[in-house]
Amino acid sequence: MSVSPPPPGPRTILLTGAAGGLGTLMRELLPEHGYELRLLDVRPIPDAPDAIVADLNDTEALREAVRGVDGVLHLAGISLESTFDKILESNIKGTYHLYEAVRAEGESRADGVAPRIVFASSNHAVGFTPRPRTEDGAPLVPVETLRRPDTYYGLSKSFGEDLAQFYWDKFGQETVSVRIGSCFKEPTDVRMMSVWMSPADGARLFHAALSAENVGHTVVYGSSANTRLWWDLTSARALGYEPQDDSEEYAENLLAEFGPLSDENPAHLYMGGRFINDPPIWPY
């Protein structure tokens, strides 16, 4: 993997949700891009005794967590479907409390500039968008497409994007909202080949989002340069993101196991996949 030189912007990054699947991957990869990580999660991290163990609704802990950082990569929260009340507490109120902590940190600094936030949005904010028939020449889906969340989880990501826009317009708080597809070491089904973001490309995209200049509030899709890509990556590339991976290397095995996408399967009709009709449920 080629490693970018240290960025001119953020250096010390608060990584929320550091114990989760994506957080664990980024703990391994982001230091290669020149970042020092301050870790936060509601659960202890066995190999990181200095990590901050706190809930997103612990406003005092959040205020201390953002003190002195140059940026925040916000991955924390419920990452599957759950009840509205649980989503409300974790993803909606928790994200609001993080923004307030970052705003207070900016106000305490001599230059008045708050740390940039990179917000982990999701493709499920637009999950009820019909999947584009790119194999038939249909255009890629732009970030400006109407948000159509497929779950309470997707609804919380829509809220997060609106919150980010509000804080930019009202307070000048910079955010890049990344509509993440599926960031795993390799795709696990045929649909995922269209929305897959390799962990290495994920680190490249987060690095670009943290270090690009003058982002205001920018919304981007988070995926690799997949042959079967559904999304327009123009706004991500404008940040300096250059994806290097492609899910097509897994196509032969996945097609042999699952077959092609079918209009007979409701999960194949929309970008949100099975979140449309049979969403995976948060176990806690």
Side-chain angles (χ1 to χ4, degrees):
M1 168 182 168
S2 62
V3 178
S4 303
R11 305 297 303 127
T12 299
I13 302 302
L14 174 65
L15 175 61
T16 73
L22 183 54
T24 298
L25 292 170
M26 291 306 109
R27 279 160 43 204
E28 298 171 356
L29 293 170
L30 280 176
E32 297 180 33
H33 290 272
Y35 295 102
E36 295 181 0
L37 303 181
R38 182 181 299 172
L39 308 179
L40 181 146
D41 201 285
V42 71
R43 296 175 292 169
I45 303 172
D47 59 346
D50 294 333
I52 302 165
V53 180
D55 186 272
L56 290 173
N57 292 312
D58 185 338
T59 56
E60 292 185 6
L62 281 181
R63 182 67 189 89
E64 286 302 311
V66 301
R67 195 177 303 279
V69 302
D70 301 299
V72 178
L73 176 54
H74 181 40
L75 306 179
I78 292 172
S79 59
L80 302 172
E81 180 62 318
S82 188
T83 65
F84 179 77
D85 287 342
K86 289 181 179 179
I87 294 286
L88 175 66
E89 290 300 316
S90 179
N91 294 17
I92 295 177
K93 289 184 178 179
T95 299
Y96 162 73
H97 288 143
L98 175 67
Y99 269 82
E100 277 296 286
V102 170
R103 183 170 73 88
E105 172 65 12
E107 290 179 345
S108 74
R109 297 183 179 184
D111 61 5
V113 178
R116 178 179 300 175
I117 297 174
V118 176
F119 168 61
S121 187
S122 171
N123 68 103
H124 298 292
V126 291
F128 266 113
T129 302
R131 70 173 174 88
R133 308 303 175 111
T134 53
E135 66 276 13
D136 297 328
L140 299 173
V141 176
V143 294
E144 296 84 7
T145 193
L146 180 69
R147 288 204 303 265
R148 299 177 65 178
D150 53 27
T151 44
Y152 292 130
Y153 166 70
L155 185 65
S156 74
K157 297 304 182 179
S158 293
F159 168 82
E161 291 186 17
D162 281 341
L163 186 73
Q165 186 64 51
F166 171 70
Y167 270 71
W168 167 245
D169 292 336
K170 184 81 171 178
F171 306 113
Q173 167 67 52
E174 286 196 320
T175 299
V176 176
S177 293
V178 182
R179 290 179 185 162
I180 299 169
S182 299
C183 190
F184 298 101
K185 292 185 177 180
E186 58 184 63
T188 59
D189 60 31
V190 174
R191 172 192 169 273
M192 196 182 294
M193 287 195 294
S194 295
V195 301
W196 180 65
M197 181 169 67
S198 72
D201 277 343
R204 293 181 188 105
L205 178 52
F206 293 140
H207 166 56
L210 288 162
S211 58
E213 296 182 358
N214 302 320
V215 299
H217 175 224
T218 299
V219 181
V220 305
Y221 286 115
S223 79
S224 290
N226 302 315
T227 297
R228 300 165 190 259
L229 182 67
W230 289 343
W231 303 329
D232 186 347
L233 298 182
T234 298
S235 60
R237 292 181 183 276
L239 299 175
Y241 173 52
E242 291 296 336
Q244 298 180 22
D245 298 319
D246 185 344
S247 63
E248 199 64 19
E249 65 178 293
Y250 305 100
E252 182 177 356
N253 289 338
L254 289 173
L255 287 167
E257 181 177 356
F258 297 105
L261 297 180
S262 168
D263 288 349
E264 302 301 316
N265 185 340
H268 293 172
L269 294 176
Y270 300 93
M271 292 209 303
R274 63 177 290 206
F275 276 60
I276 296 296
N277 63 330
D278 184 27
I281 303 300
W282 187 248
Y284 304 110

